Amino acid sequence: MSDRTSIPTATETLVLMASARRCALCFGFNGDLTRKKGQIAHIDQNASNAEERNLVYLCVEHHDEYDSTTSQLKGISLAELRAYKG
């Protein structure tokens, strides 16, 4: 696992503004455009990759689900997340 890199403030602002704090997966799965309490997630799950194209705003529930590695659970795929980011 790589070391976590702080997301530059300007990049964080771009992600937050572009998403309007709407979860990409809530929208992709349900068409839900309401504002959510959430976090910026690393699409490639590499915490040292803080490039804007690798970041997406997710609600807390979906961020947890995306980062989950439970072997019995069919989690959210990288391809799904990239598609829903838009």
Side-chain angles (χ1 to χ4, degrees):
M1 185 108 213
S2 58
D3 293 328
R4 180 168 293 279
T5 299
S6 293
I7 299 169
T9 301
T11 303
E12 181 179 281
T13 300
L14 286 172
V15 173
L16 294 173
M17 296 291 290
S19 68
R21 295 184 186 250
R22 295 177 290 203
C23 173
L25 293 172
C26 286
F27 174 71
F29 294 149
N30 304 315
D32 182 352
L33 287 173
T34 59
R35 184 176 162 209
K36 306 285 183 191
K37 289 185 179 183
Q39 302 164 329
I40 296 176
H42 294 84
I43 294 171
D44 67 3
Q45 297 179 324
N46 176 354
S48 69
N49 182 357
E51 294 182 35
E52 192 259 332
R53 69 176 183 240
N54 184 51
L55 303 171
V56 63
Y57 188 81
L58 298 178
C59 68
V60 174
E61 181 179 335
H62 280 131
H63 192 182
D64 184 55
E65 185 178 351
Y66 183 63
D67 285 343
S68 177
T69 58
T70 305
S71 63
Q72 296 296 315
L73 179 66
K74 185 62 177 168
I76 298 164
S77 71
L78 175 65
E80 284 176 296
L81 188 54
R82 285 186 196 265
Y84 291 139
K85 180 183 179 192

